Amino acid sequence: MNQIKNSFSSIEQMASKLRQTERKSAQNQPAKNSFESILFGREQKELAKETGAQASSLRFSKHANERLVNRSIDLSEEQIRRLHAGAEKAQQKGIVESLVMVDNYAFIVNTRSQIVVTAVAGGDEHVFTNIDGAVIG
């Protein structure tokens, strides 16, 4: 049995020392990536290289990310490229809240903030409200 030798006179002092140690180790560790950057980071960077656009030109909201996961929507690089192109076309036409259709998937994109608001898989009947226009392609 090992004996614990320390100079702590109370649990509070020991807890304080542990917190200081945790803060120091947290400062030395690299920042963790968000779920979105892990999920879409590589595709967006490759898309940016292909199109000459910035990697962050179209982002997915937390809600859209949840919908992608919950509805098992797995986008290929080609589909992501087409989503970007559809959002760009909508913005050029002055559409702010756009429905962008890519294959069997529907995305609501706010073109001002460049954010995909939600994602829907095809198959069922859906009603989309508060949109200015649609891009199908």
Side-chain angles (χ1 to χ4, degrees):
M1 177 192 254
N2 293 338
Q3 272 190 327
I4 299 174
K5 297 178 181 177
N6 58 41
S7 59
F8 301 116
S9 61
S10 70
I11 292 176
E12 289 80 18
Q13 286 180 341
M14 187 175 77
S16 174
K17 182 68 173 174
L18 285 172
R19 278 190 229 109
Q20 289 174 357
T21 305
E22 287 173 356
R23 279 190 221 119
K24 287 180 184 177
S25 66
Q27 291 173 352
N28 294 334
Q29 297 206 1
K32 294 184 179 181
N33 291 329
S34 69
F35 175 75
E36 179 180 7
S37 66
I38 292 169
L39 185 62
F40 294 104
R42 184 182 59 81
E43 290 89 351
Q44 288 181 348
K45 288 176 187 172
E46 289 176 5
L47 178 65
K49 288 178 187 174
E50 291 174 9
T51 62
Q54 292 188 11
S56 63
S57 64
L58 191 62
R59 298 170 297 162
F60 288 78
S61 69
K62 180 180 176 182
H63 176 79
N65 277 326
E66 290 172 357
R67 293 299 171 264
L68 290 171
V69 172
N70 292 342
R71 295 172 177 160
S72 300
I73 299 173
D74 187 25
L75 298 173
S76 68
E77 291 180 28
E78 172 66 16
Q79 289 171 319
I80 292 173
R81 186 192 63 71
R82 290 171 45 212
L83 175 60
H84 278 260
E88 188 175 302
K89 286 179 188 176
Q91 187 174 30
Q92 289 171 353
K93 294 291 185 180
I95 301 170
V96 176
E97 291 291 333
S98 176
L99 169 67
V100 179
M101 297 290 298
V102 176
D103 296 332
N104 244 6
Y105 304 119
F107 302 91
I108 302 296
V109 180
N110 183 299
T111 59
R112 284 194 185 139
S113 62
Q114 291 293 297
I115 294 177
V116 176
V117 178
T118 194
V120 177
D124 294 336
E125 187 176 312
H126 300 285
V127 176
F128 298 97
T129 59
N130 298 328
I131 61 171
D132 301 312
V135 176
I136 300 171

